[in-house]
Amino acid sequence: MCNKCWDNAGSPLNWTPDIARALALTKELYAIHSVGGPLHAVLDDWNIDHETIVPYYDCFTDAELDALYHQGEPIAELDPLAPAVVEGLGRNTRQICDELAALLNTMPVPDRYAMLAYHDRIVDEPKCPAGP
């Protein structure tokens, strides 16, 4: 969490369809990886002011990425109704990270800060859905 980062960015509270989608993808990723997996440096350390956000796969195969632990249990051993399984929507880590990184790369930096402020619960998500 980086309250100071958000403050230094002007405490943006933007809410757009892209922010809503990025937040949904972030929640999907965290259902599998409690510390952001290959996007840890972006999502947990707030390294979002770079020109290009790239997931750090470190030569892991898809199977190795998806075999990582979720709250101390291998994903393959989780109950089929566990949030990591249900919220994961059957997509793998690389698919989620690639889509999220591509989306973040299209967003203005203030929108990235706003999305992370919602994700880290520095502020509450707006109650109304994002506009068109």
Side-chain angles (χ1 to χ4, degrees):
M1 183 172 348
C2 191
N3 291 49
K4 186 175 180 182
C5 302
W6 182 65
D7 288 340
N8 289 343
S11 305
L13 292 173
N14 311 355
W15 186 251
T16 67
D18 282 347
I19 291 172
R21 179 69 186 140
L23 187 58
L25 287 165
T26 300
K27 289 176 182 178
E28 186 177 347
L29 178 60
Y30 275 76
I32 301 169
H33 297 280
S34 61
V35 293
L39 286 172
H40 167 78
V42 173
L43 301 172
D44 288 326
D45 299 337
W46 289 56
N47 290 313
I48 56 173
D49 54 349
H50 303 294
E51 256 182 56
T52 305
I53 293 171
V54 179
Y56 183 67
Y57 295 121
D58 196 27
C59 299
F60 285 114
T61 66
D62 287 348
E64 290 168 328
L65 286 170
D66 294 333
L68 295 176
Y69 285 73
H70 171 74
Q71 296 181 357
E73 294 183 49
I75 292 172
E77 295 177 14
L78 289 177
D79 181 304
L81 299 178
V85 177
V86 174
E87 294 172 20
L89 305 175
R91 297 178 338 137
N92 69 31
T93 299
R94 190 178 306 269
Q95 291 168 321
I96 298 165
C97 288
D98 286 349
E99 184 177 343
L100 179 55
L103 180 57
L104 290 171
N105 282 320
T106 67
M107 293 168 59
V109 173
D111 286 2
R112 297 174 189 177
Y113 279 106
M115 190 281 292
L116 285 178
Y118 298 125
H119 167 65
D120 279 346
R121 295 188 176 107
I122 294 172
V123 291
D124 292 330
E125 293 176 45
K127 299 291 183 212
C128 60

